DNA sequence: TAGATTGTTAATCGATTAACAATC
DNA sequence: TAGATTGTTAATCGATTAACAATC
């Protein structure tokens, strides 16, 4: 069956369903209805059923969804049933904090290679990993099968490094640099910019004061 | 004139316009058209005009928008013409990296108070700031007029701390903990979860392989 | 004046919600 | 069987885009 095109907003919600379902499992629930799942996530039951129907019929009429089975399907759809090797570029304060964050590995994202441009850092080792020079990306990365990179570097360097990474086979970028990256079709970028997030909330704080 | 209700998606795009306009100014542009702005941001010119029209008419027919003037308007609308005091909760690796990040202060967000629950950290000082105990939030925060808090703490504690912060006057939460916070109407949360971001990209990586 | 570009209205598109037949 | 809940279609809602009169 030809896969319909799935809106990105649905894919993003699917990650929420994934966490909600794990929560159900932790609570010992065997069956969950779209109703209950919706209450957990503040979305309508209809939306959950609609979203899931993009990928198949996973429930039973009159019953609901088997938590384990649906969780398994969602994991498979999102590609979470494997370990993804990840490149981390930039080992300043933020980069090092990300490297030490346990959550990535717990969820199957394993940082296997580090890059930085600072000659003072290149060649040094953190844990098991040596910091390589940015310039080596083209040389070492393709053989590693890395499709995901985390960018934790200054905004001036972000575009240049992104270009090199994409050239070396990376297809998904988690970008902490406050820059809108220009990437070709077929490359995915998620922006992790705390300033943008704050600056869109201050709008509401102002209108709060005025009210 | 009664302010029409502005969709959140418009507010978020406004932050993008803000950065694009700064870019224009840096490049020495005096005037910019919706066309050019759109090209810089990969949105249509019509959308930019529509978005701006929520707030007023800032351009001149036949000419375009004055960069300085529009930038000024956008800053005012977003509440970026002042300094916002910020509370930071959680001083693990991530919290400390955020504290040392220069970008916040440059953009007018000043971290003025630190909280943590670890007795080993409470009472110690980073830079000018002493780390206070989470339990003191209710006591010290209200007098400070802090409306914005950054949460960089373990998921188990996030909801509890969020509740205390809101009780103490916080209205906007930048949440790095991988938890969907339950907050009352009128409180804004932006989720900064790298795992969710990665997990929604792997979906596309999988379909890439299958293609 | 002629050309350009805004601000706004109308048309289109897509996403969300409601409704309900199918069925467990 | 009666009650519950899915999967799907149709209705609604909202956001984006196109078009164009106004006007610089």
């Amino acid at each position: 069956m030809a896969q319909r095109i799935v809106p990105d907003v649905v894919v993003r919600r699917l990650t929420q369903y994934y966490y909600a379902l794990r929560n159900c499992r932790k609570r010992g629930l065997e069956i969950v209805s779209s109703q209950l799942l919706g209450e957990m996530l503040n979305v309508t039951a209809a939306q959950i059923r609609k979203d899931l129907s993009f990928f198949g019929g996973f429930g039973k009429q009159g019953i609901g969804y088997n938590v384990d089975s649906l969780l398994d399907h969602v994991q498979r759809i999102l590609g979470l049933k494997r370990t993804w090797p990840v490149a981390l570029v930039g080992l300043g304060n933020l980069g090092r904090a990300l490297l030490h964050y346990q959550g990535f590995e717990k969820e199957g994202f394993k940082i296997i290679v580090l890059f930085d441009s600072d000659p003072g850092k290149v060649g040094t080792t953190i844990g098991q990993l040596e910091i390589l020079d940015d310039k080596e990306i083209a040389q070492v990365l393709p053989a590693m099968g890395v499709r995901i990179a985390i960018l934790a570097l200054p905004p001036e360097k972000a575009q240049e490094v992104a270009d090199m990474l994409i050239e070396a086979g990376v297809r998904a970028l988690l970008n902490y640099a406050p820059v809108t990256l220009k990437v070709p079709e077929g490359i995915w970028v998620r922006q992790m910019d705390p300033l943008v997030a704050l600056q869109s909330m201050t709008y509401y704080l102002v209108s709060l004061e005025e009210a």
Side-chain angles (χ1 to χ4, degrees), chain A:
Chain A
M1 186 196 69
Q3 168 86 58
R4 267 171 298 172
I5 287 148
V6 179
D8 188 57
V9 67
V10 173
V11 175
R12 285 167 185 262
R13 274 199 300 267
L14 218 53
T15 65
Q16 302 303 314
Y17 302 164
Y18 166 62
Y19 283 98
L21 286 164
R22 292 208 316 193
N23 208 267
C24 290
R25 193 173 59 180
K26 213 165 75 184
R27 289 205 256 153
L29 257 65
E30 272 181 43
I31 301 290
V32 68
S33 65
S34 56
Q35 175 80 38
L36 177 57
L37 221 38
E39 278 162 25
M40 294 173 74
L41 292 162
N42 273 321
V43 296
T44 63
Q47 181 154 77
I48 288 176
R49 295 201 302 277
K50 187 94 213 278
D51 284 352
L52 292 175
S53 76
F54 276 99
F55 307 99
F58 304 124
K60 276 200 174 65
Q61 280 104 324
I63 309 292
Y65 300 88
N66 179 288
V67 171
D68 282 338
S69 153
L70 183 56
L71 185 55
D72 193 76
H73 281 295
V74 170
Q75 283 180 307
R76 183 181 44 71
I77 293 162
L78 287 174
L80 306 180
K81 307 211 62 148
R82 63 173 96 181
T83 300
W84 293 92
V86 173
L88 171 60
V89 189
L91 287 136
N93 286 322
L94 177 62
R96 283 197 307 273
L98 292 169
L99 183 59
H100 291 119
Y101 175 49
Q102 306 291 314
F104 288 126
E105 191 144 355
K106 270 189 203 147
E107 291 288 328
F109 298 95
K110 194 172 166 65
I111 295 170
I112 62 158
V113 58
L114 309 178
F115 295 99
D116 201 297
S117 60
D118 179 353
K121 285 177 189 155
V122 171
T124 65
T125 297
I126 308 183
Q128 308 287 331
L129 296 172
E130 189 189 340
I131 301 177
L132 306 180
D133 195 298
D134 284 359
K135 297 192 196 80
E136 296 183 61
I137 288 173
Q139 210 175 336
V140 306
L141 210 56
M144 291 177 155
V146 170
R147 296 283 166 268
I148 301 172
I150 302 174
L151 269 61
L153 35 66
E156 314 84 60
K157 302 224 160 128
Q159 183 65 60
E160 183 195 349
V161 167
D163 293 343
M164 291 194 288
L165 290 165
I166 292 164
E167 186 64 31
V170 165
R171 294 291 167 263
L173 295 161
L174 189 68
N175 183 26
Y176 282 86
V179 192
T180 305
L181 297 173
K182 298 263 172 193
V183 298
E185 190 74 3
I187 307 294
W188 283 271
V189 180
R190 296 285 192 238
Q191 201 62 28
M192 301 294 288
D193 190 331
L195 284 172
V196 168
L198 287 175
Q199 286 165 340
S200 62
M201 289 195 292
T202 49
Y203 168 79
Y204 298 103
L205 298 182
V206 171
S207 56
L208 218 78
E209 279 173 17
E210 282 166 1

PDB file of all heavy atoms in Angstrom, chain A residues 34 49 57-59 61-62 65, chain D residues 3-10:
ATOM      1  N   SER A  34      -8.501   6.210  22.743  1.00  0.00           N
ATOM      2  CA  SER A  34      -8.083   7.496  22.179  1.00  0.00           C
ATOM      3  C   SER A  34      -8.528   8.623  23.123  1.00  0.00           C
ATOM      4  O   SER A  34      -7.842   9.631  23.261  1.00  0.00           O
ATOM      5  CB  SER A  34      -8.685   7.683  20.787  1.00  0.00           C
ATOM      6  OG  SER A  34     -10.093   7.580  20.826  1.00  0.00           O
ATOM      7  N   ARG A  49      -7.052   9.403  16.729  1.00  0.00           N
ATOM      8  CA  ARG A  49      -7.464   8.334  15.817  1.00  0.00           C
ATOM      9  C   ARG A  49      -7.102   8.682  14.378  1.00  0.00           C
ATOM     10  O   ARG A  49      -6.622   7.834  13.630  1.00  0.00           O
ATOM     11  CB  ARG A  49      -8.961   8.091  15.952  1.00  0.00           C
ATOM     12  CG  ARG A  49      -9.359   7.558  17.320  1.00  0.00           C
ATOM     13  CD  ARG A  49     -10.696   6.844  17.314  1.00  0.00           C
ATOM     14  NE  ARG A  49     -11.805   7.673  16.855  1.00  0.00           N
ATOM     15  CZ  ARG A  49     -12.474   8.539  17.643  1.00  0.00           C
ATOM     16  NH1 ARG A  49     -12.139   8.674  18.920  1.00  0.00           N
ATOM     17  NH2 ARG A  49     -13.466   9.235  17.161  1.00  0.00           N
ATOM     18  N   GLY A  57      -4.466   0.675  11.054  1.00  0.00           N
ATOM     19  CA  GLY A  57      -5.491   0.514  12.077  1.00  0.00           C
ATOM     20  C   GLY A  57      -4.939  -0.330  13.204  1.00  0.00           C
ATOM     21  O   GLY A  57      -4.758  -1.529  13.073  1.00  0.00           O
ATOM     22  N   PHE A  58      -4.653   0.317  14.311  1.00  0.00           N
ATOM     23  CA  PHE A  58      -3.954  -0.377  15.389  1.00  0.00           C
ATOM     24  C   PHE A  58      -4.868  -0.729  16.555  1.00  0.00           C
ATOM     25  O   PHE A  58      -4.443  -1.381  17.500  1.00  0.00           O
ATOM     26  CB  PHE A  58      -2.794   0.481  15.905  1.00  0.00           C
ATOM     27  CG  PHE A  58      -1.817   0.884  14.838  1.00  0.00           C
ATOM     28  CD1 PHE A  58      -1.527   2.220  14.605  1.00  0.00           C
ATOM     29  CD2 PHE A  58      -1.190  -0.075  14.067  1.00  0.00           C
ATOM     30  CE1 PHE A  58      -0.628   2.595  13.615  1.00  0.00           C
ATOM     31  CE2 PHE A  58      -0.280   0.288  13.073  1.00  0.00           C
ATOM     32  CZ  PHE A  58      -0.006   1.634  12.842  1.00  0.00           C
ATOM     33  N   GLY A  59      -6.133  -0.269  16.491  1.00  0.00           N
ATOM     34  CA  GLY A  59      -7.038  -0.481  17.617  1.00  0.00           C
ATOM     35  C   GLY A  59      -8.107  -1.518  17.322  1.00  0.00           C
ATOM     36  O   GLY A  59      -8.143  -2.103  16.240  1.00  0.00           O
ATOM     37  N   GLN A  61     -12.335  -1.917  17.655  1.00  0.00           N
ATOM     38  CA  GLN A  61     -13.582  -1.211  17.965  1.00  0.00           C
ATOM     39  C   GLN A  61     -14.170  -1.720  19.275  1.00  0.00           C
ATOM     40  O   GLN A  61     -14.123  -2.903  19.564  1.00  0.00           O
ATOM     41  CB  GLN A  61     -14.616  -1.403  16.860  1.00  0.00           C
ATOM     42  CG  GLN A  61     -14.408  -0.498  15.657  1.00  0.00           C
ATOM     43  CD  GLN A  61     -13.821  -1.246  14.487  1.00  0.00           C
ATOM     44  OE1 GLN A  61     -12.999  -2.148  14.693  1.00  0.00           O
ATOM     45  NE2 GLN A  61     -14.238  -0.891  13.288  1.00  0.00           N
ATOM     46  N   GLY A  62     -14.696  -0.824  20.027  1.00  0.00           N
ATOM     47  CA  GLY A  62     -15.320  -1.213  21.286  1.00  0.00           C
ATOM     48  C   GLY A  62     -14.341  -1.447  22.411  1.00  0.00           C
ATOM     49  O   GLY A  62     -14.725  -1.538  23.578  1.00  0.00           O
ATOM     50  N   TYR A  65      -6.870   0.596  22.260  1.00  0.00           N
ATOM     51  CA  TYR A  65      -5.569   0.196  21.734  1.00  0.00           C
ATOM     52  C   TYR A  65      -4.807  -0.593  22.791  1.00  0.00           C
ATOM     53  O   TYR A  65      -4.777  -0.205  23.960  1.00  0.00           O
ATOM     54  CB  TYR A  65      -4.744   1.419  21.339  1.00  0.00           C
ATOM     55  CG  TYR A  65      -5.398   2.279  20.283  1.00  0.00           C
ATOM     56  CD1 TYR A  65      -6.275   3.299  20.639  1.00  0.00           C
ATOM     57  CD2 TYR A  65      -5.141   2.068  18.939  1.00  0.00           C
ATOM     58  CE1 TYR A  65      -6.883   4.090  19.668  1.00  0.00           C
ATOM     59  CE2 TYR A  65      -5.747   2.850  17.961  1.00  0.00           C
ATOM     60  CZ  TYR A  65      -6.619   3.860  18.334  1.00  0.00           C
ATOM     61  OH  TYR A  65      -7.228   4.639  17.377  1.00  0.00           O
TER      62      TYR A  65
ATOM     63  P    DG D   3     -27.283  -0.721  26.561  1.00  0.00           P
ATOM     64  OP1  DG D   3     -27.633  -0.097  27.860  1.00  0.00           O
ATOM     65  OP2  DG D   3     -27.823  -0.179  25.293  1.00  0.00           O
ATOM     66  O5'  DG D   3     -25.694  -0.763  26.469  1.00  0.00           O
ATOM     67  C5'  DG D   3     -24.934  -1.465  27.467  1.00  0.00           C
ATOM     68  C4'  DG D   3     -23.476  -1.152  27.282  1.00  0.00           C
ATOM     69  O4'  DG D   3     -23.002  -1.813  26.092  1.00  0.00           O
ATOM     70  C3'  DG D   3     -23.192   0.339  27.081  1.00  0.00           C
ATOM     71  O3'  DG D   3     -22.020   0.669  27.821  1.00  0.00           O
ATOM     72  C2'  DG D   3     -23.002   0.483  25.587  1.00  0.00           C
ATOM     73  C1'  DG D   3     -22.389  -0.872  25.225  1.00  0.00           C
ATOM     74  N9   DG D   3     -22.638  -1.304  23.858  1.00  0.00           N
ATOM     75  C8   DG D   3     -23.757  -1.083  23.099  1.00  0.00           C
ATOM     76  N7   DG D   3     -23.672  -1.612  21.902  1.00  0.00           N
ATOM     77  C5   DG D   3     -22.418  -2.217  21.880  1.00  0.00           C
ATOM     78  C6   DG D   3     -21.771  -2.942  20.851  1.00  0.00           C
ATOM     79  O6   DG D   3     -22.176  -3.223  19.727  1.00  0.00           O
ATOM     80  N1   DG D   3     -20.498  -3.378  21.252  1.00  0.00           N
ATOM     81  C2   DG D   3     -19.953  -3.132  22.483  1.00  0.00           C
ATOM     82  N2   DG D   3     -18.734  -3.616  22.683  1.00  0.00           N
ATOM     83  N3   DG D   3     -20.548  -2.453  23.450  1.00  0.00           N
ATOM     84  C4   DG D   3     -21.774  -2.032  23.076  1.00  0.00           C
ATOM     85  P    DA D   4     -21.335   2.118  27.678  1.00  0.00           P
ATOM     86  OP1  DA D   4     -20.900   2.505  29.035  1.00  0.00           O
ATOM     87  OP2  DA D   4     -22.218   2.990  26.873  1.00  0.00           O
ATOM     88  O5'  DA D   4     -20.031   1.808  26.816  1.00  0.00           O
ATOM     89  C5'  DA D   4     -19.178   0.721  27.183  1.00  0.00           C
ATOM     90  C4'  DA D   4     -18.083   0.628  26.148  1.00  0.00           C
ATOM     91  O4'  DA D   4     -18.646   0.148  24.906  1.00  0.00           O
ATOM     92  C3'  DA D   4     -17.425   1.978  25.838  1.00  0.00           C
ATOM     93  O3'  DA D   4     -16.029   1.812  25.966  1.00  0.00           O
ATOM     94  C2'  DA D   4     -17.855   2.305  24.418  1.00  0.00           C
ATOM     95  C1'  DA D   4     -18.182   0.937  23.832  1.00  0.00           C
ATOM     96  N9   DA D   4     -19.237   0.939  22.821  1.00  0.00           N
ATOM     97  C8   DA D   4     -20.453   1.577  22.880  1.00  0.00           C
ATOM     98  N7   DA D   4     -21.206   1.392  21.817  1.00  0.00           N
ATOM     99  C5   DA D   4     -20.431   0.576  21.003  1.00  0.00           C
ATOM    100  C6   DA D   4     -20.669   0.019  19.736  1.00  0.00           C
ATOM    101  N6   DA D   4     -21.785   0.193  19.034  1.00  0.00           N
ATOM    102  N1   DA D   4     -19.678  -0.755  19.200  1.00  0.00           N
ATOM    103  C2   DA D   4     -18.552  -0.941  19.907  1.00  0.00           C
ATOM    104  N3   DA D   4     -18.219  -0.472  21.116  1.00  0.00           N
ATOM    105  C4   DA D   4     -19.215   0.289  21.608  1.00  0.00           C
ATOM    106  P    DT D   5     -15.027   3.028  25.881  1.00  0.00           P
ATOM    107  OP1  DT D   5     -13.926   2.715  26.819  1.00  0.00           O
ATOM    108  OP2  DT D   5     -15.784   4.287  25.971  1.00  0.00           O
ATOM    109  O5'  DT D   5     -14.477   2.911  24.398  1.00  0.00           O
ATOM    110  C5'  DT D   5     -13.766   1.740  24.013  1.00  0.00           C
ATOM    111  C4'  DT D   5     -13.542   1.832  22.529  1.00  0.00           C
ATOM    112  O4'  DT D   5     -14.792   1.659  21.831  1.00  0.00           O
ATOM    113  C3'  DT D   5     -12.999   3.191  22.071  1.00  0.00           C
ATOM    114  O3'  DT D   5     -11.918   2.977  21.207  1.00  0.00           O
ATOM    115  C2'  DT D   5     -14.164   3.824  21.342  1.00  0.00           C
ATOM    116  C1'  DT D   5     -14.813   2.566  20.767  1.00  0.00           C
ATOM    117  N1   DT D   5     -16.189   2.756  20.281  1.00  0.00           N
ATOM    118  C2   DT D   5     -16.565   2.107  19.135  1.00  0.00           C
ATOM    119  O2   DT D   5     -15.830   1.370  18.510  1.00  0.00           O
ATOM    120  N3   DT D   5     -17.852   2.349  18.726  1.00  0.00           N
ATOM    121  C4   DT D   5     -18.782   3.166  19.336  1.00  0.00           C
ATOM    122  O4   DT D   5     -19.897   3.299  18.859  1.00  0.00           O
ATOM    123  C5   DT D   5     -18.329   3.822  20.548  1.00  0.00           C
ATOM    124  C7   DT D   5     -19.255   4.730  21.282  1.00  0.00           C
ATOM    125  C6   DT D   5     -17.075   3.589  20.949  1.00  0.00           C
ATOM    126  P    DT D   6     -10.931   4.148  20.720  1.00  0.00           P
ATOM    127  OP1  DT D   6      -9.720   4.042  21.547  1.00  0.00           O
ATOM    128  OP2  DT D   6     -11.658   5.420  20.622  1.00  0.00           O
ATOM    129  O5'  DT D   6     -10.612   3.613  19.269  1.00  0.00           O
ATOM    130  C5'  DT D   6     -10.191   2.267  19.097  1.00  0.00           C
ATOM    131  C4'  DT D   6     -10.721   1.729  17.783  1.00  0.00           C
ATOM    132  O4'  DT D   6     -12.143   1.956  17.746  1.00  0.00           O
ATOM    133  C3'  DT D   6     -10.116   2.406  16.559  1.00  0.00           C
ATOM    134  O3'  DT D   6      -9.459   1.433  15.770  1.00  0.00           O
ATOM    135  C2'  DT D   6     -11.298   3.049  15.835  1.00  0.00           C
ATOM    136  C1'  DT D   6     -12.524   2.389  16.464  1.00  0.00           C
ATOM    137  N1   DT D   6     -13.700   3.281  16.624  1.00  0.00           N
ATOM    138  C2   DT D   6     -14.780   3.097  15.800  1.00  0.00           C
ATOM    139  O2   DT D   6     -14.820   2.262  14.915  1.00  0.00           O
ATOM    140  N3   DT D   6     -15.842   3.955  16.037  1.00  0.00           N
ATOM    141  C4   DT D   6     -15.923   4.937  17.003  1.00  0.00           C
ATOM    142  O4   DT D   6     -16.937   5.619  17.123  1.00  0.00           O
ATOM    143  C5   DT D   6     -14.747   5.081  17.829  1.00  0.00           C
ATOM    144  C7   DT D   6     -14.734   6.121  18.897  1.00  0.00           C
ATOM    145  C6   DT D   6     -13.702   4.259  17.612  1.00  0.00           C
ATOM    146  P    DG D   7      -8.321   1.872  14.726  1.00  0.00           P
ATOM    147  OP1  DG D   7      -7.531   0.672  14.381  1.00  0.00           O
ATOM    148  OP2  DG D   7      -7.669   3.096  15.238  1.00  0.00           O
ATOM    149  O5'  DG D   7      -9.214   2.287  13.475  1.00  0.00           O
ATOM    150  C5'  DG D   7      -9.781   1.271  12.671  1.00  0.00           C
ATOM    151  C4'  DG D   7     -10.606   1.914  11.563  1.00  0.00           C
ATOM    152  O4'  DG D   7     -11.638   2.733  12.165  1.00  0.00           O
ATOM    153  C3'  DG D   7      -9.811   2.836  10.630  1.00  0.00           C
ATOM    154  O3'  DG D   7     -10.264   2.533   9.314  1.00  0.00           O
ATOM    155  C2'  DG D   7     -10.204   4.241  11.083  1.00  0.00           C
ATOM    156  C1'  DG D   7     -11.630   4.024  11.574  1.00  0.00           C
ATOM    157  N9   DG D   7     -12.115   4.932  12.616  1.00  0.00           N
ATOM    158  C8   DG D   7     -11.412   5.415  13.706  1.00  0.00           C
ATOM    159  N7   DG D   7     -12.132   6.185  14.483  1.00  0.00           N
ATOM    160  C5   DG D   7     -13.382   6.212  13.881  1.00  0.00           C
ATOM    161  C6   DG D   7     -14.578   6.874  14.269  1.00  0.00           C
ATOM    162  O6   DG D   7     -14.766   7.587  15.257  1.00  0.00           O
ATOM    163  N1   DG D   7     -15.612   6.624  13.374  1.00  0.00           N
ATOM    164  C2   DG D   7     -15.520   5.837  12.261  1.00  0.00           C
ATOM    165  N2   DG D   7     -16.621   5.711  11.523  1.00  0.00           N
ATOM    166  N3   DG D   7     -14.411   5.210  11.881  1.00  0.00           N
ATOM    167  C4   DG D   7     -13.393   5.439  12.734  1.00  0.00           C
ATOM    168  P    DT D   8      -9.749   3.316   8.050  1.00  0.00           P
ATOM    169  OP1  DT D   8      -9.736   2.376   6.916  1.00  0.00           O
ATOM    170  OP2  DT D   8      -8.562   4.099   8.420  1.00  0.00           O
ATOM    171  O5'  DT D   8     -10.963   4.323   7.817  1.00  0.00           O
ATOM    172  C5'  DT D   8     -12.224   3.810   7.420  1.00  0.00           C
ATOM    173  C4'  DT D   8     -13.149   4.967   7.154  1.00  0.00           C
ATOM    174  O4'  DT D   8     -13.457   5.647   8.395  1.00  0.00           O
ATOM    175  C3'  DT D   8     -12.575   6.037   6.223  1.00  0.00           C
ATOM    176  O3'  DT D   8     -13.615   6.511   5.398  1.00  0.00           O
ATOM    177  C2'  DT D   8     -12.150   7.134   7.167  1.00  0.00           C
ATOM    178  C1'  DT D   8     -13.281   7.029   8.196  1.00  0.00           C
ATOM    179  N1   DT D   8     -13.022   7.678   9.501  1.00  0.00           N
ATOM    180  C2   DT D   8     -14.102   8.221  10.153  1.00  0.00           C
ATOM    181  O2   DT D   8     -15.238   8.192   9.727  1.00  0.00           O
ATOM    182  N3   DT D   8     -13.797   8.812  11.360  1.00  0.00           N
ATOM    183  C4   DT D   8     -12.544   8.916  11.952  1.00  0.00           C
ATOM    184  O4   DT D   8     -12.415   9.475  13.029  1.00  0.00           O
ATOM    185  C5   DT D   8     -11.463   8.315  11.212  1.00  0.00           C
ATOM    186  C7   DT D   8     -10.069   8.376  11.749  1.00  0.00           C
ATOM    187  C6   DT D   8     -11.745   7.744  10.039  1.00  0.00           C
ATOM    188  P    DT D   9     -13.299   7.154   3.998  1.00  0.00           P
ATOM    189  OP1  DT D   9     -12.804   6.123   3.068  1.00  0.00           O
ATOM    190  OP2  DT D   9     -12.513   8.374   4.280  1.00  0.00           O
ATOM    191  O5'  DT D   9     -14.770   7.596   3.532  1.00  0.00           O
ATOM    192  C5'  DT D   9     -15.922   7.240   4.287  1.00  0.00           C
ATOM    193  C4'  DT D   9     -16.690   8.499   4.655  1.00  0.00           C
ATOM    194  O4'  DT D   9     -16.264   8.986   5.956  1.00  0.00           O
ATOM    195  C3'  DT D   9     -16.505   9.667   3.682  1.00  0.00           C
ATOM    196  O3'  DT D   9     -17.769  10.275   3.434  1.00  0.00           O
ATOM    197  C2'  DT D   9     -15.586  10.613   4.442  1.00  0.00           C
ATOM    198  C1'  DT D   9     -16.059  10.373   5.878  1.00  0.00           C
ATOM    199  N1   DT D   9     -15.112  10.763   6.945  1.00  0.00           N
ATOM    200  C2   DT D   9     -15.603  11.339   8.096  1.00  0.00           C
ATOM    201  O2   DT D   9     -16.785  11.553   8.280  1.00  0.00           O
ATOM    202  N3   DT D   9     -14.652  11.663   9.032  1.00  0.00           N
ATOM    203  C4   DT D   9     -13.286  11.473   8.939  1.00  0.00           C
ATOM    204  O4   DT D   9     -12.537  11.804   9.843  1.00  0.00           O
ATOM    205  C5   DT D   9     -12.830  10.859   7.704  1.00  0.00           C
ATOM    206  C7   DT D   9     -11.371  10.626   7.493  1.00  0.00           C
ATOM    207  C6   DT D   9     -13.752  10.546   6.784  1.00  0.00           C
ATOM    208  P    DA D  10     -17.932  11.424   2.375  1.00  0.00           P
ATOM    209  OP1  DA D  10     -18.610  10.822   1.211  1.00  0.00           O
ATOM    210  OP2  DA D  10     -16.638  12.126   2.210  1.00  0.00           O
ATOM    211  O5'  DA D  10     -18.924  12.427   3.103  1.00  0.00           O
ATOM    212  C5'  DA D  10     -19.550  12.107   4.346  1.00  0.00           C
ATOM    213  C4'  DA D  10     -19.738  13.378   5.146  1.00  0.00           C
ATOM    214  O4'  DA D  10     -18.632  13.542   6.069  1.00  0.00           O
ATOM    215  C3'  DA D  10     -19.789  14.663   4.320  1.00  0.00           C
ATOM    216  O3'  DA D  10     -20.838  15.471   4.859  1.00  0.00           O
ATOM    217  C2'  DA D  10     -18.395  15.261   4.497  1.00  0.00           C
ATOM    218  C1'  DA D  10     -18.053  14.829   5.914  1.00  0.00           C
ATOM    219  N9   DA D  10     -16.630  14.702   6.237  1.00  0.00           N
ATOM    220  C8   DA D  10     -15.624  14.187   5.454  1.00  0.00           C
ATOM    221  N7   DA D  10     -14.436  14.197   6.040  1.00  0.00           N
ATOM    222  C5   DA D  10     -14.684  14.745   7.279  1.00  0.00           C
ATOM    223  C6   DA D  10     -13.839  15.021   8.380  1.00  0.00           C
ATOM    224  N6   DA D  10     -12.530  14.778   8.385  1.00  0.00           N
ATOM    225  N1   DA D  10     -14.409  15.580   9.470  1.00  0.00           N
ATOM    226  C2   DA D  10     -15.730  15.832   9.461  1.00  0.00           C
ATOM    227  N3   DA D  10     -16.627  15.611   8.484  1.00  0.00           N
ATOM    228  C4   DA D  10     -16.028  15.061   7.419  1.00  0.00           C
TER     229       DA D  10
END
